[in-house]
Amino acid sequence: MISKQDIERKLITIIAKSLQIPEKTVQMNSRLLIDLEAESIDILDIRFAAEQEFGIKFDTEEIRKMLLQAAQENQLSEKDIPQFFTVERFYDYIVRKIEQHNA
Amino acid sequence: MSHQKVVITGLGVVSPFGIGHHIFWESLQNGVSAARKIDTFDASQMPTQFWASVPASDDTLNEHLVQRKTGKLLTRSGKMAMIAAAEAIAQSGIDFSALQPERGAISVGAGGIGLNDPDVAAIGFDHGGWLASNNIPRDNEGAFWAAMVAHTHPLLSVKAIPNSIAAHLSMLYQIQGASTTITTACTSSSQAIGEAFHKIKYGLADAVLAGGADSMTNPSSLLSFSLLGVLSKNNAEYAAASRPFDRDRDGFLLGEGAAFFVLESLEHCRRRGAQPLAEISGFGCTSDAFRITDEPEDARGSINAMRQALREAQLNPEQIHYINAHGTSTRMNDKTETLAIKKVFGEQAYRTPVSSNKSMFGHLVAGAGAIEMAASILTLLHQVAPPTINLNNPDPECDLDYIPHSARQLNIKNIMSNSFGFGGQNSCLVVNAMM
């Protein structure tokens, strides 16, 4: 089974490759849409590459709800989602999906 | 409003000889063939086993992009277009973002990018094979489509749209006026340049980034053109396969590449102190209204395009010093084009040198008109006309001066460049040396 360190390393590689930026620029607390300046098509590309890499299928609605919840916990709303879309939250989601898949 | 004079201030090329206009011109004037045996896939069962691909992998092309991130959004032809456009912009020194937003425009000739892209072909060809290799009955087509949903890249559609090149150019260079994409097979980019010329001439824009690109050097495109019977099958002597106007010609050499230009009004060029390379003065554009791939025997469409271009340039046939022919090396084109030249030029046809660049770098399809315009501008700048190579046995029906074998020094002020395409489109440009 893939280790969490491997997931983190591979996810960072995927993001860096898609955005054509050095891997060291991609930190776990980097916000994809703000700090890394990803646009909507980049997210599609990253998501596809991650799905292929980890052999799982992502649910856009699940991700949206996860980020909305994080926003609401900080008394913010849907429009503030980009602030909470960090590499770490994406990583957490992937780990959870892999665990569900293997359960 | 008086008509504007239109000049070219920058050109850029990605050709089967390599990246940049220097290697392109060096190869053309030395009569080099860019044909090579296909080594990107096993073509041993294909009727045609060679082409003139650009000697750069997709990864290498990505490294040449101004914004490397866009590599994933561009097909191979898109990448080549961006590289050629960057060279043209650099030479011209123009800053499109400094123009009034609506005064800078884009005009691109592009092919059927999506359908011919290897990304698409890889999926499309896998249907039966995928089911068999997964031990799924052939009638369970749903399983195949489910796999397609899981494995098709989500950015396929934005890569495949024909206006993708124009869109990326607009974003990169902040060109905010009209964006035009023309898809008329082998006339696409010639027409794109012609439309750009008219836009400036009639005062609708000050500067236009114009050109075209195509990449059909992939298995599905090779297959489709092979089956249409338009490609040479001279696998044994592939470097001599493209032989326009030769008695033994048997089809064209498939090329790929891009060429882009900065077109400006002479006024705008002077205002910013730029150096014009050449002037465009005539554009003719017609349709045969006949058949998809056959040309009418009387060559009426080609003749009318050439006459229109001459009329607009206000030149007589005697004032055209060289013709950059469409010259595909197919039985039909070379004969019909020769006839058209004779009809338009009369006796003068025998005194006007004509040559086909396609003998060297093949047919760039939607990019053909643009790359041949690049060759024409370089011909004017160097006063050397590139040859028609491999013309060993002249066809009695093709009896003009095709500059066989080696380049020729000439005094050239005015050049006519022809492009004709599947579907019956004909396009002709007249380009002039700066005085």
Side-chain angles (χ1 to χ4, degrees):
Chain A
M1 204 168 96
I2 186 165
S3 70
K4 286 191 176 180
Q5 286 92 329
D6 272 350
I7 296 174
E8 180 179 329
R9 192 174 46 77
K10 284 182 172 170
L11 178 61
I12 286 173
T13 303
I14 286 169
I15 293 169
K17 185 172 177 235
S18 178
L19 301 176
Q20 288 287 309
I21 53 176
E23 289 194 12
K24 64 177 185 327
T25 323
V26 184
Q27 302 291 320
M28 289 304 269
N29 63 356
S30 304
R31 292 164 300 179
L32 283 152
L33 304 171
I34 299 168
D35 304 321
L36 304 182
E37 297 180 349
E39 51 185 300
S40 54
I41 46 169
D42 296 323
I43 300 300
L44 284 174
D45 183 49
I46 291 165
R47 176 190 150 166
F48 177 75
E51 284 180 343
Q52 300 296 305
E53 177 67 46
F54 303 116
I56 46 168
K57 195 80 193 154
F58 298 163
D59 183 329
T60 312
E61 191 51 25
E62 270 178 17
I63 296 173
R64 194 190 67 82
K65 279 184 180 157
M66 173 185 79
L67 298 173
L68 180 61
Q69 195 188 336
Q72 286 169 342
E73 282 166 9
N74 287 276
Q75 281 76 50
L76 293 167
S77 64
E78 178 118 24
K79 70 172 171 40
D80 302 303
I81 277 181
Q83 289 190 43
F84 297 90
F85 194 6
T86 59
V87 175
E88 187 164 24
R89 283 205 173 83
F90 195 35
Y91 160 83
D92 287 342
Y93 176 79
I94 293 170
V95 169
R96 204 160 63 241
K97 290 304 276 189
I98 292 175
E99 283 169 358
Q100 282 171 9
H101 184 75
N102 293 334
Chain B
M1 190 174 183
S2 64
H3 294 164
Q4 298 289 324
K5 270 189 180 297
V6 181
V7 295
I8 291 162
T9 55
L11 72 88
V13 177
V14 173
S15 76
F17 300 114
I19 293 172
H21 77 263
H22 293 294
I23 179 116
F24 174 66
W25 179 247
E26 183 74 18
S27 307
L28 280 190
Q29 63 172 351
N30 288 317
V32 176
S33 168
R36 50 179 66 89
K37 270 195 101 64
I38 294 169
D39 59 4
T40 51
F41 78 104
D42 180 357
S44 60
Q45 302 306 306
M46 288 284 192
T48 295
Q49 298 162 14
F50 57 96
W51 55 28
S53 55
V54 170
S57 67
D58 284 7
D59 286 342
T60 305
L61 293 175
N62 282 341
E63 285 165 19
H64 283 83
L65 294 174
V66 176
Q67 286 180 328
R68 288 188 58 178
K69 198 184 107 173
T70 54
K72 68 172 185 247
L73 300 171
L74 292 162
T75 58
R76 192 167 161 80
S77 81
K79 296 177 208 289
M80 297 187 299
M82 298 303 288
I83 297 166
E87 189 188 11
I89 296 255
Q91 184 178 31
S92 153
I94 195 169
D95 174 5
F96 274 96
S97 71
L99 269 68
Q100 278 179 37
E102 74 283 5
R103 302 297 296 170
I106 301 180
S107 187
V108 177
I113 297 170
L115 286 174
N116 298 314
D117 191 273
D119 296 344
V120 186
I123 301 158
F125 283 172
D126 211 22
H127 191 172
W130 186 86
L131 290 170
S133 64
N134 287 280
N135 294 319
I136 297 169
R138 280 196 74 98
D139 58 1
N140 188 359
E141 208 187 320
F144 171 76
W145 291 110
M148 289 280 280
V149 172
H151 296 294
T152 302
H153 197 286
L155 303 185
L156 188 61
S157 59
V158 288
K159 275 175 87 172
I161 46 176
N163 63 319
S164 136
I165 293 170
H168 282 281
L169 290 171
S170 151
M171 290 185 282
L172 180 59
Y173 297 110
Q174 287 300 298
I175 304 174
Q176 298 175 55
S179 174
T180 306
T181 297
I182 293 178
T183 303
T184 48
C186 322
T187 49
S188 304
S189 54
S190 171
Q191 229 179 307
I193 295 165
E195 296 297 337
F197 156 61
H198 278 172
K199 206 161 244 147
I200 298 168
K201 177 179 172 180
Y202 295 115
L204 300 173
D206 292 328
V208 184
L209 181 57
D214 212 342
S215 171
M216 293 186 72
T217 53
N218 57 65
S220 59
S221 299
L222 182 80
L223 180 66
S224 64
F225 269 172
S226 280
L227 297 177
L228 206 52
V230 295
L231 298 181
S232 167
K233 295 190 277 289
N234 192 353
N235 296 315
E237 296 175 299
Y238 59 88
S242 182
R243 44 178 67 196
F245 311 109
D246 189 277
R247 186 188 64 196
D248 301 322
R249 67 190 184 276
D250 72 332
F252 65 80
L253 163 68
L254 187 59
E256 67 168 350
F260 271 82
F261 310 90
V262 174
L263 271 61
E264 289 178 74
S265 68
L266 181 61
E267 200 180 297
H268 187 267
C269 166
R270 283 192 175 140
R271 210 158 52 222
R272 65 183 191 91
Q275 186 66 38
L277 304 174
E279 181 185 349
I280 298 184
S281 62
F283 172 46
C285 193
T286 64
S287 298
D288 289 340
F290 183 60
R291 294 175 183 167
I292 284 288
T293 60
D294 295 339
E295 294 171 63
E297 275 192 17
D298 61 4
R300 56 182 180 266
S302 321
I303 290 169
N304 287 336
M306 291 159 78
R307 285 190 175 142
Q308 263 185 29
L310 280 176
R311 206 158 44 234
E312 181 169 28
Q314 297 182 317
L315 294 174
N316 299 315
E318 299 76 45
Q319 292 169 290
I320 294 291
H321 306 121
Y322 162 69
I323 299 172
N324 185 311
H326 187 54
T328 56
S329 183
T330 59
R331 304 285 331 158
M332 186 166 32
N333 175 84
D334 299 356
K335 185 179 115 183
T336 315
E337 185 171 9
T338 298
L339 175 71
I341 292 170
K342 287 188 205 169
K343 288 268 183 68
V344 174
F345 283 67
E347 274 304 303
Q348 179 64 28
Y350 293 95
R351 294 186 290 272
T352 307
V354 181
S355 73
S356 167
N357 301 159
K358 291 187 181 75
S359 61
M360 293 173 276
F361 56 67
H363 194 343
L364 268 61
V365 195
I371 202 157
E372 286 156 27
M373 174 51 69
S376 296
I377 294 164
L378 292 163
T379 296
L380 286 172
L381 292 174
H382 295 272
Q383 294 288 296
V384 172
T388 302
I389 63 167
N390 305 320
L391 178 44
N392 301 324
N393 300 299
D395 179 343
E397 287 186 291
C398 300
D399 56 351
L400 302 177
D401 172 9
Y402 301 107
I403 318 182
H405 309 304
S406 41
R408 192 183 297 166
Q409 270 205 311
L410 291 168
N411 287 321
I412 311 172
K413 163 84 174 85
N414 307 310
I415 292 179
M416 170 180 275
S417 178
N418 287 336
S419 295
F420 312 126
F422 284 162
Q425 299 84 212
N426 310 288
S427 178
C428 179
L429 290 161
V430 173
V431 57
N432 328 94
M434 297 307 300
M435 291 313 259

